[in-house]
């Protein structure tokens, strides 16, 4: 698992960048429109597919754990200085269930990213620019909405720290995960997936940095 720790470090870096990115995008729409409703709608439109995946992940995790759920919404809502892009009503439960429900979007987001990378590797010989662009956009949107909720932050940060520590320990003791042969699909090279996943995570990180830099200059000058 040489690239497991690197992958999770990039996940953490992307988390920190995503918070700043959403703030700068909101300020951009607010600057050009002077209307909070337009800024909120613009931000929601940019990240809408990721928000849908995020809230459904919460909802399905709660259902799986037999925790009562209420209304699910994909519409943005401003709460003080914070824009809530989506929400799902979940009943209170024990710490373990709340933890799983809270970090479900992170699990699902990572699975989506690795799945996109995996299936692209299967057909990498045929260079399809449209497919690559759509994959990069999907990774960008999903990776920036895996931890969009402030309420999830309390559960996500300990989890991220934990898996990074585990990844470092596995790397230090040189634990390797063997390839997994499955009859109905090609052999899965776990190390290569995390390697390619790390490379693909660098893309949204660089995009985030670029957008943040440009928008910060624009927002300060406007």
């Amino acid at each position: 698992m040489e690239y497991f720790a690197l992958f999770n470090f990039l996940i953490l870096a992307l988390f920190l960048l995503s918070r700043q990115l959403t703030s700068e995008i909101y300020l951009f729409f607010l600057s050009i429109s002077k209307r909070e409703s337009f800024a909120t709608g613009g931000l929601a439109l940019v990240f809408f597919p990721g928000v849908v995946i995020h809230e459904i992940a919460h909802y399905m995790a709660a259902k799986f754990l037999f925790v009562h759920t209420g209304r699910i919404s994909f519409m943005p809502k401003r709460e003080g200085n914070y824009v809530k892009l989506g929400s799902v009503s979940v009943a209170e439960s024990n710490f373990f269930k709340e933890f799983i429900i809270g970090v479900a979007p992170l699990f699902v987001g990572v699975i989506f990213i690795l799945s996109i990378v995996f299936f692209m590797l299967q057909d990498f010989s045929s260079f399809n620019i449209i497919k690559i662009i759509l994959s990069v956009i999907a990774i960008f949107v999903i990776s920036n909405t895996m931890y969009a909720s402030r309420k999830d932050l309390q559960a996500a940060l300990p989890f991220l720290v934990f898996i990074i520590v585990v990844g470092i320990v596995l790397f230090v003791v040189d634990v390797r995960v063997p390839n997994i042969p499955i009859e109905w699909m090609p052999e899965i090279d776990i190390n290569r997936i995390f390697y390619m996943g790390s490379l693909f995570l660098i893309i949204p990180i660089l995009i985030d940095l670029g957008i943040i830099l440009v928008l910060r200059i624009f927002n300060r000058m406007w």
Side-chain angles (χ1 to χ4, degrees):
M1 299 289 281
E2 295 91 342
Y3 298 101
F4 181 75
L6 174 61
F7 180 84
N8 288 289
F9 173 79
L10 294 176
I11 289 287
L12 179 59
L14 192 55
F15 164 74
L16 299 175
L17 286 174
S18 68
R19 311 299 295 186
Q20 187 61 42
L21 176 69
T22 54
S23 176
E24 295 295 339
I25 292 177
Y26 177 84
L27 290 176
F28 168 75
F29 284 119
L30 184 62
S31 298
I32 64 176
S33 68
K34 307 301 181 182
R35 295 167 53 196
E36 290 188 356
S37 59
F38 182 88
T40 302
L43 182 64
L45 182 62
V46 170
F47 293 115
F48 181 75
V51 172
V52 172
I53 294 173
H54 182 105
E55 301 304 337
I56 290 179
H58 282 313
Y59 182 84
M60 296 304 297
K63 288 297 184 182
F64 179 78
L65 295 172
F66 302 103
V67 177
H68 179 72
T69 57
R71 182 173 177 269
I72 182 170
S73 172
F74 306 119
M75 298 302 293
K77 180 180 179 182
R78 186 168 180 82
E79 297 182 348
N81 296 324
Y82 174 68
V83 177
K84 195 173 184 179
L85 297 180
S87 63
V88 56
S89 178
V90 179
E92 292 186 2
S93 184
N94 60 58
F95 173 81
F96 176 75
K97 289 185 178 181
E98 290 181 354
F99 173 81
I100 297 299
I101 295 171
V103 300
L106 180 59
F107 278 108
V108 173
V110 170
I111 291 173
F112 263 92
I113 292 172
L114 292 179
S115 297
I116 293 171
V117 173
F118 172 73
F119 286 108
M120 283 193 67
L121 288 176
Q122 306 308 307
D123 194 31
F124 199 74
S125 56
S126 58
F127 187 82
N128 188 324
I129 187 64
I130 296 179
K131 186 176 180 180
I132 292 176
I133 291 175
L134 291 176
S135 298
V136 170
I137 291 175
I139 292 174
F140 170 74
V141 172
I142 294 172
S143 62
N144 278 294
T145 51
M146 292 188 297
Y147 8 58
S149 171
R150 286 188 174 183
K151 184 178 179 181
D152 305 335
L153 178 60
Q154 296 177 348
L157 277 181
F159 171 75
L160 285 172
V161 172
F162 171 75
I163 58 178
I164 289 174
V165 171
V166 171
I168 293 174
V169 171
L170 292 176
F171 173 76
V172 171
V173 300
D174 196 24
V175 174
R176 298 176 181 271
V177 177
N179 293 338
I180 305 173
I182 301 178
E183 294 182 359
W184 51 271
M185 67 184 300
E187 185 179 79
I188 299 177
D189 188 339
I190 301 296
N191 286 326
R192 180 164 174 76
I193 289 177
F194 276 113
Y195 168 72
M196 294 303 298
S198 297
L199 291 181
F200 271 74
L201 281 179
I202 292 175
I203 295 174
I205 286 176
L206 293 177
I207 294 175
D208 282 10
L209 286 172
I211 294 176
I212 289 172
L213 177 61
V214 172
L215 291 182
R216 178 165 291 186
I217 295 173
F218 176 87
N219 292 332
R220 301 302 180 271
M221 294 177 59
W222 190 265

